[in-house]
Amino acid sequence: MDKVKVLEKYLPADAAPLIGRWIDYFKCEFKISRNRNSKFGDYRAPFDGKGHRISVNYDLNPYAFLVTTVHEFAHLHTWNEHKHRVKPHGAEWKSNFKKMMQPFFEKDIFPADVKRAITSYLNNPAASSCSDLNLYRSLCQYDAPKEDVHTVEKLPMHTIFKLKDGRVFRKEEKLRKRYKCVEISTRRVYLFSPVAEVEVVEQG
Ligand SMILES: [Zn+2]
């Protein structure tokens, strides 16, 4: 099947032709990955006879898929210019990421809230991959709703919730950026990210 047709299934349709051209222009092996949940995407520099390789997680919504794809292409472009002489998310990467996002801003591909979050992320010198909660939140709003999955920040105080591994916790107060939660069986205290996804067992 035509590359752009495949990309259109994962990306906003207007963005697919340009990503298709980048894949050719940079001679990049681009993979849509099905077996990873800790990372959105990945770039590997040429090594051992292999060329540039990028993979992006298949289950991202189209906006998150596009932002991740551009993030990884910015790594590729930075590697071409500087090889290993610069930090992965340093000033050089950042300026390439900014430049490479421009055509998608010009095509008006993003909803206003996502555009605002990306712009402020690009202007925040500390930002790297998924460490920006505002960007992550605004991108996730466009995910198809999952049943019974809630983020810790949205739960009322004292809600009992469960993790995928079956451990059960009670939500307590917020400490700085994270939530204190007590594991019911051990009474030990854990700190949870506000955007950790959990299953509600009993409303607080
Ligand atoms: Zn990165």
Side-chain angles (χ1 to χ4, degrees):
M1 208 195 305
D2 177 42
K3 182 159 55 247
V4 175
K5 284 266 175 302
V6 176
L7 289 170
E8 277 174 358
K9 291 190 198 164
Y10 297 92
L11 288 164
D14 285 349
L18 183 53
I19 298 298
R21 285 204 295 277
W22 283 0
I23 293 172
D24 294 337
Y25 176 81
F26 289 112
K27 299 191 171 56
C28 174
E29 188 189 310
F30 188 87
K31 222 176 93 191
I32 294 159
S33 169
R34 290 200 150 262
N35 47 20
R36 178 180 43 214
N37 34 40
S38 62
K39 268 167 119 184
F40 287 176
D42 182 56
Y43 166 68
R44 281 165 207 227
F47 174 73
D48 215 9
K50 289 185 175 145
H52 299 288
R53 282 167 296 162
I54 287 176
S55 67
V56 178
N57 232 355
Y58 79 102
D59 62 355
L60 300 175
N61 73 56
Y63 303 120
F65 195 99
L66 177 57
V67 171
T68 303
T69 300
V70 178
H71 177 114
E72 304 307 341
F73 269 104
H75 279 306
L76 185 161
H77 193 32
T78 307
W79 193 88
N80 276 347
E81 289 176 334
H82 305 281
K83 303 292 183 288
H84 293 299
R85 291 187 299 271
V86 297
K87 284 189 190 152
H89 297 108
E92 297 78 8
W93 170 79
K94 196 132 212 207
S95 117
N96 281 330
F97 186 35
K98 235 178 193 173
K99 250 185 283 177
M100 293 169 97
M101 284 306 298
Q102 278 320 308
F104 305 103
F105 283 151
E106 281 160 23
K107 283 185 199 296
D108 234 353
I109 277 169
F110 297 105
D113 59 335
V114 175
K115 190 173 176 180
R116 260 197 311 277
I118 298 171
T119 309
S120 77
Y121 169 80
L122 290 171
N123 293 323
N124 168 11
S128 70
S129 172
C130 323
S131 65
D132 188 286
L133 285 183
N134 283 328
L135 178 58
Y136 180 77
R137 281 193 192 106
S138 62
L139 287 172
C140 284
Q141 275 170 30
Y142 294 88
D143 285 350
K146 291 180 217 157
E147 272 178 60
D148 285 333
V149 173
H150 304 265
T151 53
V152 168
E153 67 183 341
K154 297 271 167 66
L155 303 177
M157 184 84 142
H158 300 142
T159 294
I160 311 284
F161 65 85
K162 197 164 85 175
L163 297 185
K164 274 201 190 113
D165 65 6
R167 292 159 76 201
V168 178
F169 298 82
R170 186 179 60 237
K171 177 181 171 179
E172 303 290 340
E173 71 270 24
K174 195 174 184 186
L175 299 174
R176 293 159 159 268
K177 286 183 175 173
R178 297 194 287 173
Y179 287 92
K180 193 176 138 181
C181 300
V182 178
E183 188 177 13
I184 302 297
S185 63
T186 61
R187 296 199 186 161
R188 283 171 69 178
V189 171
Y190 292 84
L191 294 176
F192 276 75
S193 155
V195 296
E197 291 183 341
V198 301
E199 192 185 324
V200 172
V201 174
E202 194 186 306
Q203 284 286 342

